[in-house]
Amino acid sequence: ELCKALGKPRIPVPYSALWLAFFLMRRLGGRSDLTEKVVSYLAYPAVMSNAKIKKALGIRFPKGSLEAFLACAKTLKA
């Protein structure tokens, strides 16, 4: 859904290949912020419902996840 909204192609990559790429990038490239743990997040993202929060606190969120992400991406482009 995010790729489609951003007009980017979605390229499925096997978990092991992605893990290896991040491992090598970290070891050879020296980027410490990109670890193999990122692969787990990309492969198995945390998905949670905010229904209990909305019901218990009576909160209404003005934007959904996609709208909030696109607004953030728009500010980063500028």
Side-chain angles (χ1 to χ4, degrees):
E1 192 175 352
L2 289 175
C3 291
K4 185 188 283 187
L6 293 173
K8 304 288 182 183
R10 181 180 173 274
I11 303 169
V13 178
Y15 181 86
S16 56
L18 193 58
W19 188 93
L20 180 61
F22 275 70
F23 175 82
L24 292 174
M25 205 168 28
R26 184 168 183 221
R27 297 306 185 276
L28 302 175
R31 295 223 27 201
S32 61
D33 57 335
L34 294 175
T35 68
E36 301 82 45
K37 293 178 183 179
V38 174
V39 178
S40 293
Y41 177 74
L42 291 171
Y44 309 107
V47 178
M48 298 169 219
S49 172
N50 60 11
K52 287 183 180 181
I53 294 172
K54 288 195 269 187
K55 185 177 178 182
L57 302 176
I59 295 174
R60 299 278 308 159
F61 298 102
K63 295 182 179 180
S65 299
L66 180 60
E67 293 83 12
F69 178 84
L70 293 174
C72 182
K74 186 177 179 182
T75 61
L76 292 175
K77 281 185 176 181

